Amino acid sequence: MMSFRQGLLVTTRNLYTSTCTMAPTVALDNMNPCIKKMEYAVRGPLVIRATAIEKELQEGVKKPFDRVIKANIGDAHAMGNKPITFIRQVLALITHPPLLDTDQFPEDAKSRARAILAGCKGGSVGSYSDSPGLEGIRRHVAEYIMERDGGLESDWRNIILCAGASEGIRGCLKLLTGPGTGKRPGVMIPIPQYPLYSASLAEYNMDQVGYYLDEARNWALDLEALERSYQAAKETSDIKAIVVINPGNPTGQVLTRENLEAVIQFAADKKLFVFADEVYQQNVYAEGSAFHSFKKVMMEMGAPYNGLEVASFMTCSKGYMGECGIRGGYAEVVNMDPEVMAMLQKSISAKLCPTVIGQACMDVVVNPPQPGDPSHESWSGEVSATLASYADRARLVADTLNSIEGISCNTVQGAMYAFPCISLPEKALTAAKEAGQPADVFYASHLLEATGICIIPGSGFGQQPGTLHFRTTILPQKEMINEMLGRLKEFHMKFLAEYA
């Protein structure tokens, strides 16, 4: 006699192997159209093809190259950049507390780990935290911000820890999707922009109101462009917010204080909520460039600007850390209506809590070894070496691209990317049109197939009509960057000759 368990297994297996042609409940023609509309270029078709080529190489398929170089995304560790030792020591200790009883770890790493575990229910990072994160870590974040901003107050209760900055950004964006005035809510975003914003706005059925950065001024923010974009969209969109990415992604610029003051005045005049995307604040390389936090500048400007509603974002995925897969970050939300803040807290509670290991990683970033601590010298050495290496690679990438005919690249002042402009022959533009592809996609696709280099076309980020660009990261190790740039130059010259 067949047992109930055996019968259940057979039934389940038959369900999965059934040839029944019953129509699916959820199909392309009745699913959420906003999901179909959204696009995320840095993980788009070119990246999928690059992964397929990697598998082909593993299977012995012959190519004119022996490895794929994925320059499409700011994934530091995937590109061979090493983790910071102290961060990993603390993470090792909190995930396996018996290590605290060994002599294999420095005492300052142990003290950080004990403090984190003391804030966890049951003394384990496997337990849930409060929805906005562990209180002790939120307090450390507020102290970090106060020190960064020269002593300006930061209230720990305004700190929300999140699984990477992206989650915090999307959580705040959702607050703006309300019924409004009958028009769809709109958000002003820089063009070029990081596709998180365009994708999220599409998903939430919100309007993208793009404002062009000025490439001729190293991608500076242009007040006249802001005003033009606002005026062009205000009749059809209920414009509620503006996004400022500083340092810039994909453009690699670092905004001057004057630029920030201008956008603060604009946001105050238009009564806009501000998203200050500052995840690359530690990645500043160019001489004369400096990071100015949005909050600090607006507070120093005084009334009425210090009353702007602002959410600023930071992550452990960028900077010198590069801990992308750990998924740690924070948002500091200032001047938000208390009742709306309560709704934000309620919204994030539906996700229970951000990963506690990600919270712990963020804690080490904002509460690093201090002078006199056993790990301070090694920490400082590793951090300085990492950022110096990034600066060297930023110069190398921009200088090399500028040496190639038909390519021009602004100084990479900060962040992790270059966004060069490319000039292609008319025959190449015609061939792209015949292939049904934007010209920069046509170029990037041919580059991938010929060299194994995966870049992202500028059309995935937005660009001035009539211009073509691509984004490449500066993160590959020096040897790989030289190899990548050599392959790129050789391909580019052949491409120009083919379509001359």
Side-chain angles (χ1 to χ4, degrees):
M1 181 177 176
M2 181 182 290
S3 70
F4 173 77
R5 179 178 175 81
Q6 289 172 319
L8 181 62
L9 288 171
V10 170
T11 302
T12 303
R13 185 164 60 248
N14 287 342
L15 280 172
Y16 278 105
T17 58
S18 171
T19 57
C20 177
T21 57
M22 184 173 67
T25 301
V26 181
L28 273 177
D29 61 356
N30 68 7
M31 68 169 285
N32 183 345
C34 297
I35 300 295
K36 291 193 286 185
K37 181 182 174 185
M38 66 182 289
E39 295 181 0
Y40 193 58
V42 297
R43 297 265 179 140
L46 278 170
V47 183
I48 294 170
R49 175 58 187 148
T51 301
I53 291 174
E54 283 182 320
K55 292 181 179 177
E56 290 173 10
L57 287 171
Q58 292 168 5
E59 293 165 359
V61 177
K62 296 299 181 185
K63 302 280 183 184
F65 48 87
D66 57 6
R67 62 175 170 176
V68 171
I69 299 177
K70 288 186 173 179
N72 60 292
I73 196 166
D75 192 350
H77 295 178
M79 290 285 98
N81 299 281
K82 300 300 181 186
I84 300 297
T85 302
F86 188 78
I87 292 176
R88 289 302 181 90
Q89 286 174 330
V90 173
L91 295 183
L93 289 162
I94 63 171
T95 53
H96 191 56
L99 292 173
L100 288 164
D101 299 325
T102 72
D103 58 2
Q104 298 174 4
F105 294 83
E107 283 304 315
D108 50 352
K110 290 182 178 181
S111 66
R112 296 293 194 290
R114 291 189 184 102
I116 293 167
L117 292 171
C120 297
K121 298 177 179 69
S124 171
V125 292
S127 59
Y128 290 127
S129 73
D130 293 338
S131 294
L134 294 169
E135 179 179 324
I137 298 177
R138 294 166 70 197
R139 287 182 180 274
H140 287 159
V141 169
E143 292 166 5
Y144 165 84
I145 293 171
M146 285 182 66
E147 182 179 353
R148 181 199 69 187
D149 290 346
L152 286 172
E153 181 183 356
S154 177
D155 188 336
W156 70 269
R157 290 167 294 189
N158 291 335
I159 305 299
I160 297 173
L161 302 179
C162 40
S166 298
E167 183 179 271
I169 291 166
R170 286 166 59 83
C172 290
L173 268 179
K174 280 191 285 190
L175 295 175
L176 309 178
T177 61
T181 60
K183 304 174 187 175
R184 290 201 309 183
V187 177
M188 300 187 72
I189 64 173
I191 302 296
Q193 54 94 32
Y194 178 49
L196 163 71
Y197 293 100
S198 54
S200 298
L201 292 174
E203 181 182 353
Y204 298 153
N205 199 30
M206 300 169 72
D207 284 344
Q208 171 183 316
V209 181
Y211 62 90
Y212 287 107
L213 301 175
D214 188 350
E215 184 171 10
R217 294 194 296 130
N218 214 82
W219 301 109
L221 202 152
D222 184 76
L223 191 57
E224 290 183 1
L226 285 173
E227 188 65 43
R228 281 195 302 270
S229 296
Y230 185 89
Q231 295 300 330
K234 70 176 185 178
E235 298 303 322
T236 55
S237 299
D238 179 16
I239 305 173
K240 293 186 173 184
I242 184 169
V243 173
V244 179
I245 307 175
N246 180 43
N249 176 10
T251 43
Q253 87 282 17
V254 179
L255 296 179
T256 64
R257 184 184 175 98
E258 291 72 26
N259 251 195
L260 289 171
E261 289 175 352
V263 76
I264 287 167
Q265 291 169 344
F266 176 85
D269 179 56
K270 309 300 185 189
K271 296 181 172 55
L272 300 177
F273 188 99
V274 178
F275 288 78
D277 184 335
E278 299 175 334
V279 300
Y280 296 99
Q281 60 189 259
Q282 294 160 331
N283 299 103
V284 177
Y285 317 123
E287 186 175 346
S289 294
F291 170 74
H292 302 281
S293 87
F294 197 97
K295 177 190 170 187
K296 182 174 189 278
V297 174
M298 87 174 194
M299 290 299 181
E300 290 177 346
M301 289 174 69
Y305 309 111
N306 57 6
L308 272 176
E309 298 163 80
V310 176
S312 59
F313 304 92
M314 177 59 173
T315 181
C316 65
S317 300
K318 307 304 177 184
Y320 54 83
M321 305 81 70
E323 295 283 5
C324 300
I326 297 291
R327 309 311 299 141
Y330 72 71
E332 183 187 27
V333 185
V334 298
N335 295 328
M336 179 176 277
D337 181 285
E339 292 183 342
V340 177
M341 186 67 160
M343 293 298 103
L344 175 59
Q345 298 273 8
K346 181 179 74 171
S347 172
I348 64 174
S349 70
K351 295 184 178 181
L352 294 177
C353 71
T355 161
V356 176
I357 293 174
Q359 295 181 49
C361 186
M362 201 71 245
D363 187 54
V364 181
V365 173
V366 300
N367 183 30
Q370 299 300 308
D373 288 349
S375 301
H376 181 260
E377 186 176 343
S378 61
W379 164 277
S380 298
E382 289 181 38
V383 169
S384 297
T386 298
L387 293 177
S389 177
Y390 288 170
D392 184 42
R393 284 178 260 174
R395 286 189 295 270
L396 173 63
V397 170
D399 289 348
T400 304
L401 289 172
N402 279 321
S403 73
I404 302 174
E405 178 187 351
I407 298 180
S408 63
C409 184
N410 279 326
T411 300
V412 180
Q413 296 175 324
M416 294 178 168
Y417 315 98
F419 197 67
C421 182
I422 53 175
S423 299
L424 300 182
E426 192 62 38
K427 284 186 179 179
L429 303 182
T430 302
K433 189 174 182 179
E434 290 173 351
Q437 293 180 321
D440 53 2
V441 174
F442 182 79
Y443 178 87
S445 299
H446 280 68
L447 175 69
L448 175 60
E449 297 295 340
T451 69
I453 299 170
C454 181
I455 55 172
I456 303 300
S459 52
F461 302 92
Q463 54 197 345
Q464 281 276 14
T467 67
L468 300 171
H469 299 80
F470 64 82
R471 188 188 81 165
T472 178
T473 180
I474 64 166
L475 290 176
Q477 296 297 293
K478 195 80 170 282
E479 178 188 351
M480 186 183 288
I481 275 196
N482 282 319
E483 178 186 343
M484 178 184 84
L485 293 171
R487 289 192 209 174
L488 173 61
K489 183 174 184 176
E490 182 181 358
F491 164 82
H492 186 78
M493 299 314 294
K494 288 180 179 178
F495 189 88
L496 293 184
E498 181 179 352
Y499 291 101

